[in-house]
Amino acid sequence: MSRFLGIDLGTQSLKVIIYDAQSRQVVASGSSDLQLTSHADGTREQTADWWIQALHLAMQQIPARDKQSVAAIGVSGQQHGFVPVGADGAVLAPVKLWCDTATAIECDEIESAFGGRQRCIEAVGNAIMPGYTASKVRWLKNHNPDAYGAMSAILLPHDYLNFYLTGEQFMECGDASGTGLLDIRKREWHRGMLRAVDPDRELEECLPHLVEASATGGHLRHSIATLLGLPAGTPVACGGGDNMMAAIGTGNLVPGRLTMSLGTSGTLFAYSDTPCIDPMGELAAFCSSTGGWLPLLCTMNCTIATELARSLFQMEVKLFDTSVSKSQPGAEGVIVLPFYNGERTPNLPNGRGCIMGLNDSNMNQVNINRASMESAVYGLRTGLEAFRRSLCPLDEIRLTGGAARSAIWRQMIADNFKLPVRLLDAEEGAAMGAALNAMLLCSDKHGDPAALAAEVDEHVRFDDSATALPDDSLSPLYDQVYADYRRYLDLVRPMFE
């Protein structure tokens, strides 16, 4: 059989696809929306039960004959979330998510215990950011000592789904590198960082064993197979974080390609065959889920910037895009700092949204709408210089995520990054990557990165009619507006630090 199930656990929904590798098409799909618990202190949480319910609802949308044809399963999941599990396998507390910024104090505590932010970067490759799992573990210790004391396993969201499917607890280095606890050079847990989180407990005993990128993590339990309508014993790949799976789904397995994902968060990443550590800390130093490395920039406020503007003016998506097109590039000097959820890049967990540059002639709906979209692009653009410092020349941007279908978004990105933008034909890069991760279990190409990349390239498709080429005439304008964005950022940063 050549059909593979990809599961993607996102923040807003859980999606499933069945990919037929022989015909090279998605033959079935399903999805289920997820709730989000939010509080003014930066808390962003879900319960693991919601994920399981969503998985079952999404799988019910797949025809039975397609489910029975699945040869292997791959799971993608939102990075950094912390699932504390007890000895009986029960989840002990709500799951703090990647976008939770309530742990800023714990970040400072960990970095101070380790010897400062720069030493963290030097030792493990990353500073301890509010999004990372490490600070959430310490938060549980500080705020829920009973649950912390009962904790026997630290799992990430995709690990928990793997645990549900297989009964096995394991973790791969791509997603593990987003915990802040992994030495990304050696691909092993850093005991000094674990002691900085908790000097009195052997936290390594709570961490699952690390598996190779090519490994089979486990096999589908009979009881769960019956509930989901899948063949019992189906092999389950190691899977990975959503960004690592999106790298597979977008064919970003060789240097020179830049993947951008436009969702609630915005991410920008590129493959490297050597560890890539940014001394300024703007890029997260992650491992890939294919044996390489995946330096990455993440902003917490991407499409949320446009969604909030659209909601403010009560506009449908198409009408909003039309409104943006009526404003000139640069929005007549209106600039948004869209830190509505706090922000990770720049590191401002207490940040708030600001609209700058308003005067009596440019304060109108179309300029605010365009500035909201441009601001999300400027946030991602901050990583471009870091990528160019650290990596070989970049050739193109491969675009995925919900906003990627918008021609205005694509052209704005091409003009700012001065690179051609190619649109993936598959709408869900992470789900597709999870399906391809499952497919690669059946491949003999592991251990040969070039051959593995070539195999994946055979299954990655683009909508060539949607390619956006940079308009060189706009480069000076966008360079100036981006400089203004950075200047405003420097001015307001002290207010939120």
Side-chain angles (χ1 to χ4, degrees), residues 156-324:
L156 302 172
H158 108 272
D159 301 328
Y160 182 75
L161 283 189
N162 280 339
F163 175 50
Y164 174 76
L165 295 172
T166 69
E168 303 289 338
Q169 295 180 0
F170 56 92
M171 193 180 293
E172 57 80 40
C173 291
D175 213 6
S177 58
T179 63
L181 303 171
L182 190 80
D183 182 335
I184 65 103
R185 299 178 186 87
K186 297 179 179 179
R187 283 184 159 84
E188 61 186 35
W189 301 116
H190 194 285
R191 292 186 178 180
M193 187 59 74
L194 292 170
R195 286 193 295 272
V197 175
D198 186 347
D200 302 317
R201 183 173 183 177
E202 291 295 333
L203 280 179
E204 191 167 2
E205 296 176 356
C206 297
L207 291 164
H209 68 280
L210 295 168
V211 299
E212 295 293 329
S214 59
T216 299
H219 293 83
L220 186 63
R221 292 188 287 167
H222 187 277
S223 59
I224 305 303
T226 300
L227 291 172
L228 295 176
L230 294 165
T234 302
V236 177
C238 63
D242 51 2
N243 293 304
M244 290 74 195
M245 292 299 100
I248 297 175
T250 61
N252 200 335
L253 304 182
V254 295
R257 300 167 179 175
L258 197 59
T259 294
M260 182 183 293
S261 177
L262 302 176
T264 305
S265 65
T267 54
L268 190 68
F269 52 82
Y271 177 85
S272 174
D273 50 19
T274 59
C276 186
I277 296 173
D278 178 15
M280 297 178 63
E282 289 183 334
L283 294 182
F286 292 162
C287 301
S288 77
S289 293
T290 54
W293 286 265
L294 198 74
L296 176 146
L297 178 125
C298 175
T299 62
M300 294 178 65
N301 300 273
C302 187
T303 58
I304 193 171
T306 53
E307 287 301 294
L308 287 173
R310 190 169 68 82
S311 175
L312 176 66
F313 296 121
Q314 299 182 339
M315 305 175 79
E316 296 297 325
V317 173
K318 289 185 178 179
L319 184 59
F320 182 84
D321 280 7
T322 300
S323 172
V324 171

Side-chain angles (χ1 to χ4, degrees), residues 40 117 125 236 372 419:
R117 172 163 299 194
V236 177
S372 297
L419 289 169

Side-chain angles (χ1 to χ4, degrees), residues 373-396:
M373 187 179 288
E374 287 181 341
S375 71
V377 176
Y378 298 151
L380 290 166
R381 181 171 167 170
T382 60
L384 186 61
E385 291 81 5
F387 277 108
R388 285 177 167 160
R389 285 196 307 267
S390 307
L391 298 173
C392 64
L394 300 168
D395 303 322
E396 65 181 25

